[in-house]
Amino acid sequence: MEPNETPMGPEELRPEPQKPKKKVLPYVVCCLATAVVVFALTFVGMTLLQSRQKSTSGDDYLAKVQEVVALLDARYVDGLDHSKLGDQLASAAVTATGDRWSYYISADELAAYQEQNANAYVGIGVTIRLENEDDAGFTVASVTPGGPAEAAGLQIGDMLLAIDGANMKELGMEEARNRVRGEEGTSLTLTVQRGGETFDVTVTRATIEVEVVRAELLDGGVGYLKINNFDSGCAEKSIAAIEYLREQGATSLLFDVRFNPGGHKDELVELLDYLLPEGPLFRSVDYKGNEDIDYSDASCVELPMAVLVNGDSYSAAEFFAAALQEYGVGTVVGTQTVGKANYQQTFVLSDGSAVAVSTGHYQTPHGVTLAGVGITPDIPVEVDDDTYLKIYSNALEKSEDAQLQAAIAALTQGNP
């Protein structure tokens, strides 16, 4: 079977943010935006990892796994659940690569993974996070405008305690996500805590289009574009938004890719081609050593540009900022990015599960790798933890966003 190639695929299993105090990119539960959660390594999985490291024979690790499974079958006091072995061992095998960007996707999770790549899903339209370990539930971090959750009255800051009577904290984020999944038109009941009040809310599941890009003309002729990911439709919608802003009188462009998890290479290249003059846009080297270079034509957008980034800007978002920076047309503002330079191909397995494996490396137009380094902003602007969370939740006034204001100043300096 040919692999389903999704270079620079969005981080369905996003690693912990670079700043561990900021629990900002937890799991997008109800909107399934971070649908894939790799199973934790079990004792059997750890044995596979250790045997792979020590083995000099290709068959030794398989024999060792069989030996361990036989031992657990014979002696483990609570009985070994064989139904979990396939997922656990497959996850362990991928983990044994030591590559944080490769991951296993169970058959149950594959549909959500594919939904995410399409920028549409069936859900209720909220994201949640665990704000404090001793909280009784999960806090609503954002509510999708026009979605079922907003229609039902859910608000940012609400704490979700239960779903259809089942305790959310005890279920955990992954199981809570699974229970929110369902057919369009069906309903679920959430127990919500708001301030000192606890009440139930019934929400009807619906198909929701992910807001890929949001555009707004700011004072000083600054055309602001918030790009949420580089998945399907990003380039087309971003280009349309840029043209709209120019029609409205934009004299500069400000791209916000903070908290952008990445997406598809083709979307990135199409947008860069529209923005940048003739020259190399993107370089990739696959596992065979084959190099591929994408080029831009001479047509470009001749406006001053700036890009907002942070420690949760990944993959395509980083290379977008890097290209504008290297061409000298974009000022990068914010904090150091994560440094993801591997791309993945998704291979669907015979049982309906899948493995996303890093099969190559990406480089900037100048041939620079971002692996483990990321983008260094031209104008570094740090923010505190509370502000970081508010930016993620779209709960910060633009006038209070120091990173945004620094980017605006860079674009408008000297303008009347």
Side-chain angles (χ1 to χ4, degrees), residues 106-118:
S106 72
D108 291 339
E109 295 164 339
L110 188 57
Y113 171 90
Q114 293 167 333
E115 279 184 335
Q116 177 179 335
N117 286 344

Side-chain angles (χ1 to χ4, degrees), residues 41-49 65 68-69 72 80 85 89 92:
L41 291 175
T42 58
F43 172 75
V44 177
M46 287 299 295
T47 302
L48 173 59
L49 173 57
V65 169
V68 171
V69 171
L72 293 173
L80 180 62
L85 273 179
L89 291 173

